[in-house]
Amino acid sequence: MGKDIEVGGEFIAKDYHDPPPAPLIDAEELTQWSLYRAVIAEFIATLLFLYITVLTVIGYKSQTDTAKNGDVCGGVGVLGIAWAFGGMIFVLVYCTAGISGGHINPAVTFGLFLARKVSLVRAILYMVAQCLGAICGCGLVKAFQKSYYTKYGGGANGLASGFSKGTALGAEIIGTFVLVYTVFSATDPKRNARDSHVPVLAPLPIGFAVFMVHLATIPITGTGINPARSFGAAVIYNEDKAWDDHWIFWVGPFIGAAIAALYHQYVLRAAAVKALGSFRSSSNI
């Protein structure tokens, strides 16, 4: 099929249609049930995400606790933890993509907001729902396994010994960039127009990106790349070490998401060049 062809500063022969940019503030959106249904979906999805993944982390630590005759080589290991995070994202994005877009992460929402894929109102409500869902998910884990939850750190993110704050921040920025870049690429209407199977498979590369980033950064920060995940665990665990470097797990993901949005929109999709070409053609009329 045809691709974008630049002729005289204009792009023609498009075989796909970009959706119109979302308005910055859409008051009418607040009157639509679809918005609140999507917010509920984000809340439940993030709750389930934190419940399963934090439970996996705590289970692994309890199984490898030598003080309780645990086997240091037992449990699911780092590989299993990474699979838990990536697998849950795959499942939940698949389940909620048609309702809310399957963000389940304030950094993803922020990146899509910068790209004008969602309005400011929707972005704020999504982020609030995601954070509340994360708190409730961790709260369920603590309610069911309070002694294990407290003893094994509650799944809270933190800077590992031997690594600087700069290294941790860089890991979070790059890790979130990989995730948000994958989200943009997997949901790109240009790709969907040419590969009819992409909408069905989109959750797979997103979940796999989460899996790969966890493999790389669990030894450094425990892997945040999701401010709601870090915030929910810190709120319920509520120990000093969970809050000492907590800013890293907000600043890093938001910077990584912003870079990914700018890279995809203005470099790969050449939004700046297209805008300039449109401006030039209109000025010649």
Side-chain angles (χ1 to χ4, degrees), residues 189-278:
K190 185 176 181 179
R191 180 189 299 271
N192 293 349
R194 295 164 190 168
D195 301 306
S196 60
H197 58 278
V198 166
V200 177
L201 296 179
L204 182 59
I206 295 171
F208 201 64
V210 171
F211 165 70
M212 296 302 294
V213 171
H214 273 74
L215 284 182
T217 59
I218 282 177
I220 303 173
T221 62
T223 307
I225 69 171
N226 184 334
R229 173 261 185 274
S230 302
F231 181 69
V235 168
I236 298 301
Y237 184 55
N238 200 29
E239 297 287 342
D240 288 343
K241 62 181 181 180
W243 294 108
D244 287 343
D245 303 303
H246 186 70
W247 64 271
I248 291 174
F249 302 102
W250 284 89
V251 175
F254 274 32
I255 292 176
I259 295 173
L262 293 173
Y263 174 63
H264 184 269
Q265 293 297 104
Y266 291 95
V267 177
L268 299 186
R269 293 300 302 276
V273 177
K274 293 177 183 179
L276 180 59
S278 177

Side-chain angles (χ1 to χ4, degrees), residues 4-14 269-270 273-275 277-278:
D4 288 352
I5 302 174
E6 185 176 5
V7 179
E10 295 185 22
F11 286 80
I12 61 174
K14 290 174 65 173
R269 293 300 302 276
V273 177
K274 293 177 183 179
S278 177

